[in-house]
């Protein structure tokens, strides 16, 4: 093909799939806090682990950078994002704008099947919280975020759902950095309160309940905590 034609390069679908799979694996590791904020992601290491070229690794890192979970620094490489207190506040500010609206929409659309899904989810959250060990804790953290995504899926607006995926993933980084209780920072009884308001078809109450819940999550954060930050961030190098 003559490049002068201005034709787009042919996309390699197999490569796209592999980049997506690596993005998914890294995304889960970041959200479940197996990878710490600020951790370096070495291209060659990721490439060897997944047996793919650096081009594919780069594509997956670009996806994560676009979602705000990875920061790519010129000449230094890629790192798991390390949200500043200001970014953290903006993330929760956005959640306070979006989630009450999602809760109101969900109230209007809730079906009996949705109620069953929520109830099964709350049971699973309770089971995971009762378990001990780091794996159970990771699973509990993931499940508490998924509650919010379930709410977004019931609200049935794909754009809002996509925003929520990003906000929940970034929230988990913020909680990893600034959370004080070390727990998921989602109090489970509040998840039940939100569901009660949905079942009662009380949109205003559902919106208030989720606002209250987000306030609580943020109250558990201490933006002054810097001890866990990597030295290079502390020293601004
Ligand atoms: Zn929650």
């Amino acid at each position: 093909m003559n490049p002068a034609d201005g034709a787009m390069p042919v996309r390699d679908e197999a490569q796209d799939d592999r980049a997506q799979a690596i993005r998914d694996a890294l995304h889960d590791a970041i959200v479940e806090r197996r990878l710490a904020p600020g951790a370096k992601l070495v291209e060659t290491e990721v490439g060897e682990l997944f047996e793919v070229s650096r081009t594919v690794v780069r594509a997956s890192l670009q996806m994560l950078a676009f979602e705000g979970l990875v920061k790519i620094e010129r000449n230094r490489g890629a790192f798991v994002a390390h949200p500043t207190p200001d970014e953290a506040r903006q993330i929760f500010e956005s959640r306070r704008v979006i989630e009450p609206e999602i809760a109101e929409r969900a109230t209007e659309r809730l079906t009996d099947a949705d109620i069953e899904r929520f109830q099964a989810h709350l049971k699973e959250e309770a089971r995971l919280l009762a378990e001990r060990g780091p794996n159970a804790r990771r699973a509990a953290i993931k499940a508490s975020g998924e509650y919010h995504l379930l709410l977004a899926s019931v609200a049935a607006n794909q754009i809002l759902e996509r925003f929520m995926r990003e906000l929940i993933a970034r929230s988990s980084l913020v909680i990893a950095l600034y959370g004080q209780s070390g727990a998921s920072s989602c109090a489970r009884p509040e998840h039940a309160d939100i569901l009660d308001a949905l079942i009662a078809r009380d949109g205003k109450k559902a919106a208030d309940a989720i606002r209250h819940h987000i306030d609580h999550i943020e109250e558990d954060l201490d933006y002054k905590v810097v001890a866990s930050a990597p030295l290079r961030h502390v020293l601004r190098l």
Side-chain angles (χ1 to χ4, degrees):
M1 190 183 296
N2 182 353
D5 291 345
M8 293 285 285
V10 179
R11 290 185 71 83
D12 182 336
E13 279 184 29
Q15 276 205 352
D16 287 352
D17 288 350
R18 272 174 293 176
Q20 183 69 43
I22 297 169
R23 175 259 169 220
D24 293 349
L26 290 173
H27 175 276
D28 286 354
I30 294 169
V31 171
E32 292 166 29
R33 306 184 209 167
R34 281 178 277 132
L35 274 170
K40 186 164 168 65
L41 298 164
V42 183
E43 275 181 15
T44 48
E45 194 185 352
V46 177
E48 278 165 21
L49 286 172
F50 289 92
E51 297 178 338
V52 294
S53 68
R54 287 180 79 163
T55 313
V56 175
V57 175
R58 264 182 215 150
S60 65
L61 293 175
Q62 288 289 353
M63 289 183 210
L64 291 162
F66 186 69
E67 296 166 51
L69 291 182
V70 159
K71 194 159 194 270
I72 297 172
E73 294 177 20
R74 192 190 283 268
N75 299 327
R76 298 201 55 240
F79 299 84
V80 176
H82 189 286
T84 62
D86 202 40
E87 281 167 335
R89 282 190 201 97
Q90 289 178 30
I91 288 164
F92 282 96
E93 224 170 74
S94 308
R95 288 185 62 173
R96 262 193 291 270
V97 171
I98 290 176
E99 288 195 72
E101 176 65 28
I102 282 175
E104 286 204 39
R105 290 180 63 94
T107 310
E108 289 162 20
R109 285 155 196 269
L110 190 76
T111 64
D112 288 347
D114 292 330
I115 294 172
E116 277 174 31
R117 275 160 74 208
F118 271 116
Q119 283 167 339
H121 188 91
L122 287 183
K123 239 186 222 166
E124 179 65 4
E125 276 191 55
R127 189 185 70 75
L128 291 167
L129 277 175
E131 273 186 34
R132 295 267 164 262
N135 286 341
R137 221 185 88 187
R138 274 189 209 117
I141 292 162
K142 195 172 179 211
S144 65
E146 277 165 2
Y147 175 91
H148 293 257
L149 297 177
L150 189 55
L151 203 58
S153 82
V154 173
N157 177 321
Q158 287 180 3
I159 314 254
L160 285 177
E161 207 177 327
R162 210 173 70 199
F163 285 157
M164 278 304 295
R165 277 187 197 289
E166 178 178 331
L167 289 170
I168 291 294
R170 297 180 75 173
S171 294
S172 106
L173 270 180
V174 169
I175 293 164
L177 271 171
Y178 305 108
Q180 298 186 81
S181 65
S184 70
S185 296
C186 265
R188 203 184 55 84
E190 293 180 3
H191 283 182
D193 291 345
I194 297 161
L195 179 58
D196 286 346
L198 293 183
I199 293 171
R201 307 276 166 191
D202 190 335
K204 192 187 168 303
K205 198 170 167 193
D208 286 344
I210 200 139
R211 241 178 245 118
H212 182 68
H213 179 52
I214 296 167
D215 286 347
H216 267 179
I217 300 172
E218 210 180 359
E219 275 166 21
D220 184 57
L221 305 177
D222 181 359
Y223 293 130
K224 292 191 296 297
V225 175
V226 291
S228 62
L231 194 61
R232 65 182 194 86
H233 284 283
V234 176
L235 302 176
R236 297 178 190 279
L237 292 175

